[in-house]
Amino acid sequence: MILRRKANAEIKLLRLGLLARPNSPCEEIDDTWTHAQPEENLSPEKAGLALSLDSKAPQSIVKKRYRTLQLRYPADQFMEKHIEWGPSAELLGNPKMRLNWYWQSGLIPEVESPMDCKTALEKLCGC
Amino acid sequence: MQDPTLKKLLSSLNESWNSFENILLLPTHLEEFQPFLNKYCGLPLADKARSQNCDSLSKKFISEMSQFFSSLFNDKEFFKLHTGKIEHLLCQFEKNFNLLLYYWYGKNDRNYQFRTCIHFLNLNQISIPIFKENKTEFSIFLTESGIEFSINGSRHLPCVLPSSQVYGLEEKLSEQELFTRIRAVQREVCLLIDQWEYINSIFAMEFKSGVMHFEKRISLATFVLESLSDFQEWIVKLKKQAWNEDISSEKDALSSLLLSAVQKILLPASISRICYPVELIILFERFTRARMEYAPEDYSAKLMLQALQSAQGMDFSENLFKILTQKPHEWKFSFDPSTALKAFSWSYSQNHHMLLCALLGVCYFKKTLPKKLDDFHLIEIAHSLQTRETFSPQAQNHKVYQNPCSIPENQTQMLFSTLATHFKNDVRRSDSTKEYLDYLEQFLRGNFT
């Protein structure tokens, strides 16, 4: 009973504009135009962070980690962790699959090159 | 090893690179550049109302470029050299310069490249004279793919040095360094694939308005293929030493990445029916040989090599028929060679083409045993067979060889009889595959007595 009276009072106050109205989702997101692929996603490292993937570890470390995880999460009890076609964060780390994943995922991150103009110029002058 | 004159030129370029970069950043002085950059997708704007600011900036750009190159080549001794030597040096310098332009981007925006400046200021195919000596005129042509040095107005496509030249592909590296370098090369190959797809999509868009870019595509393919071949030869050299597990797996990942890159370069030939010239075929052969050295049991590389050799008029190798008697663990099928077979099928004789497609079919069957062949594999075999007729005979570079064929009759009989048995036993018959099966059975009947 009390809750209903409180709700009615709130509605009256909202209608009178005396209570702050929460923003609708559209208002929160805002309608300014941005790039479809924001810069945060535009590198494999950042995409990996977003998916909590470690894309930098070498194969032997990944295998050790995989072994620990297999022991920690047996397949019969933790079925969702053993699905291979999703970016199951801990289990994806094979470099072949890593490279394949980024090209097939539809999220085409802009690959950062370690080479830039200045380094290339110095290299060409040096040799 | 490098020519001292070239080295001197490159070091003076290194010193004055900042002033060149300022020239390339000239468009940022105009307000209209930022909206142009936001909308830029590789194509020049069709009918751009040239503002006066833009025109004056173009003139300033040209004059500063002219000044820059004149001061770069200010050594009068350079132009007194023998003409052939000058041409050679200019070609080398052009390659290095265009590679730097490939890596350059301005204002932390990868969309702002040399191409963007040229399209914004509408300076495509503009020539800038730099020096005149005894009636020989040296000038530069600005194009969207780079800078072209020209003697007396002669034109060619801008050449680019393969990007492998800046990566220091040595074998004597510590493990940590090697690991980082393989990762860096992986990213470079991804960038090359990106560049290929980007430029090809621009060509496709321009093709719709009727503009063909045959030579530009060939020069881009040459650039990408040379880099890929260099990288592949590098990992062949690395393979000779025993590395730890991390590095081996990174090397394997790099080799599969290189394979997918080469498949992408074959696509315009196999899908859009473009006839690649012999220079590209030789480059493909170089890559395939390096691949075969890296993975000797790879049968798909052998098939691809045979297609490339047939495209140069050579005989059919009997090695390929070993697959009929080998056990399944003795050979590997690491990529789909049907793109390679389709891409070059126009240039060799019908006999070779049928043998290659038959071998492809046998590969598919042997690898899917004991399961039945998938529909898409069946369709691939039929398409590979058909592709030969779909190339237009009026296309550029269309030269068909009549290849000799020294395969003994019993081998071909064995091949076609194996194929016939597979078609009888290991194929799923359904409505969608009916027409393909009829076509293939006709093909077999025509060849098998």
Side-chain angles (χ1 to χ4, degrees):
Chain A
M1 272 304 294
I2 300 176
L3 283 171
R4 202 190 288 176
R5 280 183 67 182
K6 199 167 159 201
N8 285 335
E10 267 195 26
I11 290 171
K12 278 197 192 134
L13 284 174
L14 274 172
R15 285 206 180 124
L16 288 171
L18 294 171
L19 199 64
R21 186 178 67 105
N23 278 334
S24 77
C26 291
E27 284 169 10
E28 292 219 354
I29 294 171
D30 205 4
D31 56 357
T32 44
W33 184 89
T34 50
H35 293 285
Q37 270 202 336
E39 272 153 35
E40 303 91 59
N41 286 340
L42 289 183
S43 78
E45 291 83 8
K46 290 176 191 155
L49 277 175
L51 298 168
S52 53
L53 287 173
D54 183 356
S55 59
K56 286 293 177 190
Q59 181 72 326
S60 51
I61 296 186
V62 166
K63 279 191 180 163
K64 273 187 237 160
R65 204 180 290 160
Y66 191 89
R67 191 77 200 127
T68 343
L69 290 170
Q70 270 186 322
L71 295 169
R72 198 187 299 169
Y73 303 116
D76 47 347
Q77 295 163 37
F78 292 92
M79 192 188 62
E80 67 283 349
K81 288 213 188 276
H82 285 262
I83 298 171
E84 277 176 3
W85 38 263
S88 175
E90 307 94 337
L91 298 180
L92 188 70
N94 180 346
K96 265 195 207 161
M97 279 176 72
R98 160 171 57 84
L99 288 167
N100 278 343
W101 172 250
Y102 285 116
W103 288 109
Q104 291 166 357
S105 65
L107 163 81
I108 309 291
E110 187 151 353
V111 178
E112 283 168 2
S113 173
M115 183 63 57
D116 68 324
C117 198
K118 267 288 178 188
T119 336
L121 185 50
E122 271 147 42
K123 186 78 193 178
L124 288 174
C125 290
C127 65
Chain B
M1 290 230 297
Q2 214 186 35
D3 194 285
T5 335
L6 183 64
K7 214 168 160 113
K8 210 164 55 157
L9 273 176
L10 285 175
S11 49
S12 49
L13 179 66
N14 195 7
E15 283 154 29
S16 44
W17 182 256
N18 285 328
S19 53
F20 185 71
E21 206 166 344
N22 288 333
I23 305 179
L24 291 180
L25 289 172
L26 274 179
T28 51
H29 296 176
L30 287 185
E31 277 172 12
E32 48 203 63
F33 182 64
Q34 191 56 45
F36 174 83
L37 186 61
N38 289 338
K39 284 188 303 183
Y40 183 67
C41 56
L43 288 173
L45 291 175
D47 45 346
K48 182 164 183 271
R50 301 261 126 213
S51 76
Q52 225 187 5
N53 289 340
C54 214
D55 281 334
S56 60
L57 197 69
S58 313
K59 293 200 181 76
K60 188 172 176 200
F61 190 90
I62 293 178
S63 67
E64 291 202 12
M65 276 277 203
S66 166
Q67 229 176 347
F68 176 78
F69 280 105
S70 308
S71 66
L72 201 61
F73 289 100
N74 66 358
D75 183 8
K76 293 286 158 53
E77 293 304 317
F78 179 79
F79 290 105
K80 292 214 168 67
L81 293 170
H82 174 55
T83 321
K85 184 125 170 80
I86 296 184
E87 219 174 294
H88 175 73
L89 274 174
L90 283 179
C91 182
Q92 294 298 313
F93 186 68
E94 179 184 315
K95 284 187 181 174
N96 283 285
F97 204 90
N98 284 328
L99 184 64
L100 295 171
L101 288 179
Y102 168 71
Y103 282 118
W104 182 81
Y105 59 94
K107 266 179 61 174
N108 263 333
D109 184 353
R110 278 191 175 269
N111 210 9
Y112 184 175
Q113 294 179 311
F114 183 68
R115 195 185 182 93
T116 324
C117 297
I118 298 294
H119 283 159
F120 178 66
L121 297 170
N122 204 14
L123 293 173
N124 201 4
Q125 312 293 332
I126 297 284
S127 108
I128 302 178
I130 41 170
F131 195 75
K132 194 162 180 159
E133 152 107 9
N134 288 345
K135 296 184 202 162
T136 344
E137 220 181 84
F138 296 95
S139 53
I140 289 178
F141 278 88
L142 298 177
T143 69
E144 48 195 22
S145 14
I147 284 185
E148 234 182 274
F149 284 94
S150 142
I151 301 181
N152 283 335
S154 65
R155 300 301 305 270
H156 57 271
L157 279 166
C159 329
V160 194
L161 202 66
S163 53
S164 40
Q165 300 286 339
V166 292
Y167 274 96
L169 305 179
E170 300 131 22
E171 304 150 49
K172 305 273 182 267
L173 291 171
S174 73
E175 283 192 359
Q176 185 56 35
E177 273 177 14
L178 187 61
F179 188 78
T180 332
R181 195 144 306 172
I182 297 185
R183 283 267 165 105
V185 169
Q186 284 171 354
R187 281 189 278 185
E188 175 64 31
V189 176
C190 290
L191 261 188
L192 284 171
I193 299 179
D194 231 6
Q195 178 79 355
W196 172 257
E197 292 187 319
Y198 172 53
I199 304 283
N200 262 306
S201 61
I202 295 177
F203 289 160
M205 282 207 275
E206 292 188 325
F207 183 67
K208 280 198 199 138
S209 38
V211 185
M212 277 286 282
H213 285 291
F214 188 70
E215 288 92 12
K216 282 193 203 171
R217 188 181 263 135
I218 304 295
S219 67
L220 178 67
T222 319
F223 163 58
V224 178
L225 261 183
E226 276 180 358
S227 321
L228 296 177
S229 309
D230 284 339
F231 290 139
Q232 179 72 40
E233 284 165 4
W234 180 52
I235 51 176
V236 166
K237 277 188 247 165
L238 287 180
K239 196 177 184 225
K240 300 211 174 90
Q241 313 170 43
W243 294 103
N244 65 18
E245 181 200 347
D246 292 336
I247 293 186
S248 313
S249 56
E250 292 295 327
K251 262 193 340 221
D252 283 334
L254 177 58
S255 73
S256 9
L257 194 58
L258 287 169
L259 277 176
S260 54
V262 169
Q263 295 277 62
K264 291 220 189 274
I265 306 199
L266 283 171
L267 285 179
S270 60
I271 296 190
S272 317
R273 313 288 191 259
I274 301 208
C275 297
Y276 278 157
V278 71
E279 297 85 22
L280 272 188
I281 294 182
I282 293 176
L283 270 180
F284 274 116
E285 190 176 340
R286 181 180 151 205
F287 178 84
T288 322
R289 284 192 190 277
R291 168 73 195 166
M292 280 172 64
E293 235 186 290
Y294 183 76
E297 336 75 42
D298 187 2
Y299 190 75
S300 27
K302 289 186 190 149
L303 271 181
M304 183 164 163
L305 184 67
Q306 180 57 54
L308 291 164
Q309 285 183 325
S310 302
Q312 294 172 66
M314 299 197 226
D315 197 354
F316 208 92
S317 147
E318 213 176 317
N319 274 331
L320 292 169
F321 284 80
K322 284 196 194 143
I323 192 184
L324 296 171
T325 47
Q326 266 177 340
K327 302 239 179 357
H329 61 265
E330 286 169 352
W331 56 280
K332 288 203 187 113
F333 199 58
S334 51
F335 66 93
D336 189 0
S338 60
T339 21
L341 262 55
K342 287 181 204 163
F344 304 110
S345 54
W346 51 272
S347 62
Y348 40 81
S349 63
Q350 178 69 3
N351 198 9
H352 276 219
H353 182 64
M354 292 195 296
L355 287 174
L356 280 168
C357 294
L359 285 168
L360 179 74
V362 165
C363 274
Y364 283 157
F365 278 115
K366 280 191 186 266
K367 278 301 173 185
T368 50
L369 281 176
K371 289 197 291 195
K372 305 243 183 206
L373 192 68
D374 286 311
D375 291 347
F376 60 87
H377 281 143
L378 191 68
I379 295 173
E380 276 303 324
I381 305 175
H383 278 166
S384 314
L385 266 176
Q386 282 170 338
T387 309
R388 189 166 185 273
E389 289 102 44
T390 56
F391 279 89
S392 114
Q394 289 90 33
Q396 245 173 323
N397 293 323
H398 195 100
K399 179 188 174 189
V400 183
Y401 286 96
Q402 291 305 321
N403 305 70
C405 188
S406 56
I407 304 291
E409 188 63 29
N410 60 340
Q411 295 271 33
T412 44
Q413 291 285 21
M414 191 158 70
L415 171 65
F416 286 115
S417 62
T418 326
L419 199 57
T421 337
H422 281 306
F423 271 121
K424 212 161 53 164
N425 303 334
D426 300 313
V427 170
R428 256 191 298 258
R429 295 190 177 266
S430 68
D431 291 325
S432 49
T433 56
K434 188 173 180 322
E435 38 181 274
Y436 293 106
L437 277 171
D438 290 339
Y439 176 72
L440 288 165
E441 266 154 28
Q442 237 182 358
F443 155 67
L444 279 176
R445 255 179 276 136
N447 287 293
F448 177 53
T449 45

